[in-house]
Every structure is written in structure tokens, then in C-alpha cells.
Amino acid sequence: MNAALPVLSSAVPAYQSRSYDFAEYTTCRNWRGGALVDAVSGHTLPVENPRHGKVMGHVVLSGQADVEAAVHAAKLALPGWKGTPMRERAQVMFRLKALLERDMDELCWLLSAENGKTYAEAKGDIDKGIECIEFAIALPQMATGGGIDVSRGVHCEVTNEPLGIVAGIVPFNFPIMVPLWMLPNALVAGNAFILKPSEVVPYGALRLGQLLKEAGLPDGIYQTINGGRDAVEAVVDHPAIAAIGFVGSTKVAKLVYARASALGKRALCLGGAKNHVIVVPDADLELTAQTAVASSFGCAGQRCMASSLMVAVGDVQHIIDAMVGYAKNMQLGKDMGCVISQAARERINAYIDQAEKLGAKVIVDGRGASLPGADGYWVGPTILDNVSPDMPAGCDEIFGPVLSIIHAKTLDEAIAIENASPYGNGAAIFTTRGYVARYAVERLEAGMIGVNIGVPVPREPFSFGGFHDSKFGHGDITGMDGFRFWSRPKKITSKWALQSDSSWMS
Ligand code: NAD
């Protein structure tokens, strides 16, 4: 390890606040070799609490030397971890689950402070991450490989080997869940994992380090490299890092995928989304209106599975009217959090202004929203009617609480609109008729489809991943695909008895 970087502490302080009130927190240093260290650059970036628009702490900015030191620590720890039976590795995940449950309240307030989501949304973030841990706990039962006698006396078997040192790069919107899409599978598979958290929300990943250590994970097997683009490039380029999992915007997903692939690395890079929800006249009024509103505006629309575009087929005005009622009733700060930054608020408002200028009707207007006592980055629920597919609000990912409505005469027209989108993360159909649902499910071009479900995230054991510009690389990021991504099958053919009728294998 770099001698110039003394270990500062092996304890991450607990976040003390238990409310939405503003509170400062520690400097987010790198978690290396089971301890906190500064970055070599000595530079830091402010971390804002977006609800209050105030700096709650700082995060270190890492580069190549920090990655080198983390790889060194990982190399020291890896043989012991790789040699630990999978069953024992899974026990660490058992304990991590219990520790996350123990510290749930603290972690929810911490995630809420760094991300701006509500307490309930933060709890959802961690709960969904725990489901991924539960899946990985079951890996010793599921990832058993297999074997048969392929000829007399000749046995063929397959085992799953870890890749070695692997890395994940994650976005701001789910500070614990997205790292847990990758970590549990990668660790139970026997790898050492380096995480590059979002520099905007670095604290959840730091607390994970402390909890994993408490759960018994050997030092050096989970580490963080904080920072932005320099840190990402240093992680992707390091020759000892064998595989890269990425989740973030399509622009960066493409860049990271190209960079990692050019180096011959295994890469799976999940990108952005524009999820279409098709509503037909027979859709259930209450279910559709409530679900669509929750999907579009929950987490302030900052979910890659948020429904950001509704295709209204025929006359569904009664449903739109009900949605307007529900959206207007949402209480900022209670039912819905803020957006991540001033830049995000400006970008989202600019999309609304532009759509209005281009002829869309703003039937619920979230511009200018504010919350007394919390002077942060608020945008209220916004519904834009009469959007056309070629307007930026009809095709770009806005990543905020904005639902664009496009009208279509027929279901085929609606499906064609969805199919023309370059994204393909999620799509949903709201109908009370099975054959309509089936017709749409078969034709929608998205990796995750909802039928009367607004956020069709596959729950474990089913795996998460979209199509087209929402995912670069093969397979999905969670479930068994996730395990396969972080491991490689080794085929062993053995013959122990010498026989006179031996086959071509002899
Ligand atoms: P982002 O792409 O800006 O950042 C993601 C990660 O990439 C961060 O760790 C960041 O530090 C790094 N990064 C940013 N710019 C980079 C560059 N030029 N070169 C190298 N690395 C860079 O995304 P975000 O704003 O943090 O998150 C929001 C985006 O993530 C949305 O587009 C959303 O749809 C997407 N997302 C997708 C999924 C999915 O499963 N498909 C899930 C969550 C979020």
C-alpha cells in the first residue's frame, strides 16, 4: 500500500441525525484494506444534501495511484477469500443482511440526506438491496455446477471460478441498492470487489464497507475508490481488474463499455431509459391512475424504471383526470423527495419550458415548487399532455418528476411509438383484458415489462436488465445472470480408473 497514505481509522462514524433536518457528516474517504484512507490527489468535492441545498460533507477524488493501492490490497486478500468455501462466503452475506436490518433507521436517514429521497423511499432502496443479498445467500444451493460420466470411467464436471479482482461503477439514484445488485453475487462467487460509488452520494457505499467488515469480510475484499471520471477511467484501465459492471446514463454506459471491451475485459453496462406506459380505455381507473402517478413521481422520477411517457390509446380522459388529481395531491417532502442538484432542477425545468413552447399542455406544473424549511432542489409532479414523439420531452430521458402524454388512436400505434424509442429498459400496459395484455407483451421492445404494474422491476430470483440503449453487454446484472457475469465456468474431465475399453479420451 502507498506509504504516503496513512490509515486514518477503521471505523466509519454513524450518521447521527434521525430526521430530515440538515446535519453534517464525515469526509467520505476511500475504504481500502478495511480502513479509511485519503486519496493521493488530496482533492475533495463537496457533497450536498439536496433537500436543503447545503454541503453536508466532502468526498475524496481518486485516481490511478489510489486504484493501484486498492488492487494491491485486493491481491493480498484474494487467495484467502477465493479459497474460502462458498458456503462460508455466503455466511458473510447472512450477517450483512442482519446488520443492514439492525442499522436500517440510520441508513435510511443517511440515504435520504445524501440523495434527497424520502425515508420510505430510502427504506425501499435498502430493502431491495437486501433481496439481492438473500439471492446470493442461496448461491451455494444453486451454483453447484454439475457433472456426469461422459464415457465409461470418464467424468466431466463444471465448477464456477471467481474472476479475481472485479469492479462496479454506480449512479446516484440508489446509493445502496445498485451496489447490492453486484456486490453479493460477486463476493459469494469469490471475487475481490472495488466499487466506484457516485461522487454525488458516496456515503451509503462507505457504510457498506464498515458493515461488511463487521460481518466478517476479510479486509481488501470490498473497497471503494471515490471520485468522478478520473477514478472511473483508472478503474476500467487497470490491467488487474478483470470485469466491469456499470450502471448510469446511456452516454457514460457506452463510453465505459467501449473502453473496457477494447481492453478485452468482460463488461456489462446498464444505461438510461424512457419507459413507456400504454393505457387503453378498458384499464381499471383507480389502479391505473394511482399506479402511473406513483411510478412517474416516486423518487422524484429519478428511477431508471419510472414511467416517464404515457401513451394514451383512444379516450382515456377519465384516467388522465384522475391522475391529475392524484399528482396535485402529492405532498412534497413527504410523498416525494427533491431532485439531486441545482443542475438537475434547471435541466428538468428547461424540458418543461421547451415542451410548452412546442405546443404541449402543462396540465400539472411542478416548476417553482418549494418546501418551507428545506431550501433545496424541488420540482413538483408535472404532467405534459399532447406531447409528440419527436419533442425532446417525448423521446429524451428527463430523469425527473415529469410524465409526458402522447395520444394514439390504436394499440398498434402505441406499440410502434414504444418500439421507436432507442431505449428499452421497461414498458407497461394497463388493461383489464388478458389478450390485450398478451398482444402488447409480445410486441413491446423492452427488457422488463409490466402488466398493470408501473415499476416492473423483476424481483429476485429474476434478473434485472433492459434492451437496446438501456444495456450494453450480454446478460442481466442481478439473479443468476449476475452470478454468471462475476464467475467463469471451468470444465474438468477426469479418468481415475484404467480400463481396456477406454474411449478416445484415453
Ligand atoms: P452518470 O452516468 O452521470 O454517472 C454514473 C457513474 O459514472 C458515476 O459513478 C459517475 O461518477 C460516472 N461518470 C459520470 N460521467 C463520467 C464520464 N464522463 N466518464 C466516466 N465515468 C463517468 O449517471 P447518474 O446521473 O449518476 O445516474 C442517473 C442515470 O443512471 C440515469 O440515466 C438512469 O436512467 C441511469 N440508471 C440506470 C439504471 C439501469 O438499471 N439501467 C439504474 C439506475 C440508474
Side-chain angles (χ1 to χ4, degrees):
M1 249 184 262
N2 194 323
L5 293 168
V7 167
L8 296 168
S9 163
S10 57
V12 179
Y15 183 64
Q16 296 299 331
S17 174
R18 296 292 180 272
S19 75
Y20 289 122
D21 292 346
F22 178 77
E24 287 181 350
Y25 192 41
T26 186
T27 294
C28 184
R29 299 188 159 88
N30 289 335
W31 182 254
R32 181 189 324 144
L36 293 167
V37 291
D38 272 324
V40 171
S41 74
H43 296 141
T44 61
L45 198 69
V47 179
E48 273 191 306
N49 172 326
R51 187 181 180 100
H52 293 278
K54 281 162 72 174
V55 175
M56 65 182 285
H58 288 80
V59 59
V60 300
L61 293 177
S62 315
Q64 215 182 346
D66 305 286
V67 175
E68 193 60 55
V71 165
H72 180 70
K75 278 184 179 166
L76 292 178
L78 194 56
W81 183 243
K82 194 179 164 187
T84 302
M86 187 188 258
R87 253 172 213 289
E88 285 177 37
R89 296 196 295 249
Q91 292 302 317
V92 175
M93 292 300 130
F94 260 115
R95 293 192 287 272
L96 176 65
K97 171 178 150 67
L99 293 171
L100 284 167
E101 286 162 354
R102 181 196 70 187
D103 291 353
M104 181 66 85
D105 196 41
E106 180 213 332
L107 293 168
C108 287
W109 288 119
L110 176 60
L111 260 53
S112 172
E114 66 177 343
N115 173 279
K117 49 179 81 183
T118 65
Y119 182 95
E121 288 166 348
K123 184 159 186 314
D125 189 325
I126 301 166
D127 281 343
K128 182 66 183 71
I130 287 175
E131 288 188 9
C132 298
I133 294 175
E134 288 167 352
F135 178 83
I137 288 171
L139 279 172
Q141 270 70 40
M142 299 185 294
T144 52
I148 55 166
D149 283 354
V150 287
S151 309
R152 280 194 188 82
V154 178
H155 188 78
C156 208
E157 67 180 306
V158 60
T159 60
N160 297 301
E161 276 196 344
L163 300 177
I165 306 172
V166 297
I169 300 155
V170 292
F172 79 82
N173 59 335
F174 285 94
I176 288 221
M177 178 191 80
V178 174
L180 290 179
W181 280 357
M182 307 186 205
L183 260 178
N185 276 343
L187 294 183
V188 174
N191 299 287
F193 196 92
I194 295 176
L195 183 75
K196 207 302 280 175
S198 165
E199 66 274 36
V200 187
V201 297
Y203 290 122
L206 182 67
R207 291 292 284 117
L208 274 179
Q210 176 76 52
L211 294 177
L212 278 161
K213 187 181 175 94
E214 200 179 337
L217 189 75
D219 294 345
I221 294 298
Y222 167 75
Q223 305 183 93
T224 61
I225 288 289
N226 284 289
R229 181 179 175 165
D230 287 350
V232 170
E233 293 181 353
V235 165
V236 173
D237 291 352
H238 198 290
I241 298 179
I244 304 289
F246 173 92
V247 181
S249 61
T250 289
K251 184 182 135 214
V252 183
K254 267 187 190 167
L255 287 172
V256 169
Y257 185 74
R259 198 174 179 113
S261 305
L263 293 166
K265 296 190 182 192
R266 194 179 282 200
L268 179 59
C269 300
L270 273 56
K274 186 83 174 174
N275 304 312
H276 292 51
V277 166
I278 297 177
V279 177
V280 300
D282 68 54
D284 182 86
L285 172 64
E286 289 305 318
L287 173 84
T288 307
Q290 281 181 19
T291 309
V293 164
S295 169
S296 302
F297 307 128
C299 295
Q302 300 172 126
R303 280 192 287 211
C304 67
M305 290 297 280
S307 59
S308 48
L309 197 148
M310 170 174 158
V311 191
V313 181
D315 182 7
V316 294
Q317 193 55 46
H318 58 300
I319 296 175
I320 295 174
D321 290 343
M323 286 169 59
V324 167
Y326 283 124
K328 285 187 172 166
N329 271 338
M330 286 186 86
Q331 281 185 35
L332 280 191
K334 182 169 171 280
D335 301 327
M336 186 182 139
C338 58
V339 299
I340 191 67
S341 62
Q342 171 65 6
R345 177 164 68 179
E346 284 170 9
R347 184 194 69 239
I348 296 161
N349 283 339
Y351 268 107
I352 304 170
D353 292 345
Q354 183 191 42
E356 195 173 31
K357 276 200 198 102
L358 292 172
K361 200 170 159 198
V362 187
I363 56 175
V364 182
D365 193 348
R367 290 170 293 189
S370 62
L371 186 69
D375 201 13
Y377 310 121
W378 300 96
V379 181
T382 299
I383 303 182
L384 305 171
D385 201 0
N386 295 327
V387 171
S388 62
D390 56 347
M391 282 182 196
C395 52
D396 291 358
E397 178 181 49
I398 300 176
F399 218 56
V402 180
L403 174 66
S404 302
I405 301 179
I406 295 179
H407 291 268
K409 288 194 179 64
T410 64
L411 181 57
D412 281 334
E413 195 188 325
I415 290 169
I417 290 168
E418 191 277 338
N419 286 183
S421 170
Y423 298 103
N425 213 38
I429 170 94
F430 282 81
T431 178
T432 49
R433 286 178 294 171
Y435 71 89
V436 172
R438 193 184 166 105
Y439 186 89
V441 165
E442 285 173 357
R443 289 163 178 78
L444 288 168
E445 279 290 324
M448 294 168 281
I449 306 284
V451 176
N452 297 321
I453 298 270
V455 184
V457 172
R459 307 279 293 267
E460 269 43 50
F462 301 103
S463 59
F464 187 103
F467 291 168
H468 307 303
D469 281 1
S470 295
K471 191 186 74 183
F472 304 91
H474 179 72
D476 286 339
I477 198 131
T478 62
M480 219 48 200
D481 269 13
F483 173 75
R484 283 187 205 106
F485 180 75
W486 302 115
S487 61
R488 55 185 182 182
K490 180 175 270 179
K491 289 71 58 183
I492 306 126
T493 307
S494 326
K495 181 170 143 184
W496 292 104
L498 296 176
Q499 291 168 288
S500 53
D501 60 346
S502 54
S503 70
W504 61 272
M505 292 295 303
S506 52

